[in-house]
Amino acid sequence: MNKLRSDLEKRIREIEPLVEEHARIRQALEALKGLGGSRLGEGSSPAVGRAGSAAKRGRGRPRGSSARAQQVLKLVREQPGITIAELAQRMKIKPNYLYRIVPGLQKDGKLEKRDKGFHPPQA
């Protein structure tokens, strides 16, 4: 049972960047459809219509809820003061991916940067 769970968690970590890329490509395609003029006679493009409703409810899942974000929070709790380079090495990913995740975690108060590393928020 633990091996199966471990294998599934590993696979999620492997495909998560692909899922995010899929979402970005779909957004780009929808934006291009809106610029193409195929629905301009209907009032507004699909991209404009969705942007208004998305702004009200927020886009996508809550920040910090991804498996990578949870992994970052866990590693910071285990090793306060850890740097992005060290996080990337421990997670076996490139640091540039973390520069998209960590600022959101900081903004939400889930991480604090002190000196050169990241720490859990002070209570």
Side-chain angles (χ1 to χ4, degrees):
M1 184 67 124
N2 286 339
K3 171 134 177 54
L4 177 60
R5 180 181 306 222
S6 175
D7 289 347
L8 291 172
E9 288 173 347
K10 178 182 175 188
R11 185 64 182 139
I12 286 173
R13 287 191 301 272
E14 290 172 354
I15 65 172
E16 186 171 23
L18 298 175
V19 172
E20 292 170 356
E21 180 182 10
H22 175 269
R24 286 192 307 273
I25 291 171
R26 182 163 299 282
Q27 285 178 328
L29 181 60
E30 291 299 320
L32 288 174
K33 285 180 184 175
L35 294 175
S38 62
R39 296 186 186 185
L40 290 179
E42 296 176 16
S44 67
S45 71
V48 171
R50 268 197 298 281
S53 63
K56 293 176 188 171
R57 65 176 165 75
R59 297 186 68 187
R61 64 178 164 221
R63 195 170 31 224
S65 66
S66 72
R68 292 277 192 212
Q70 293 303 310
Q71 191 177 7
V72 167
L73 293 173
K74 179 181 178 210
L75 289 170
V76 168
R77 283 190 301 268
E78 290 173 0
Q79 187 181 344
I82 193 168
T83 65
I84 284 189
E86 293 166 335
L87 283 165
Q89 187 176 18
R90 297 261 314 264
M91 295 170 71
K92 296 180 175 70
I93 62 173
K94 294 182 180 183
N96 62 334
Y97 182 74
L98 293 172
Y99 286 105
R100 292 182 12 212
I101 295 174
V102 171
L105 294 173
Q106 284 181 275
K107 184 176 180 181
D108 290 347
K110 296 178 180 179
L111 288 180
E112 290 180 358
K113 184 169 185 180
R114 282 183 267 151
D115 301 321
K116 294 184 180 184
F118 293 92
H119 300 265
Q122 292 179 340

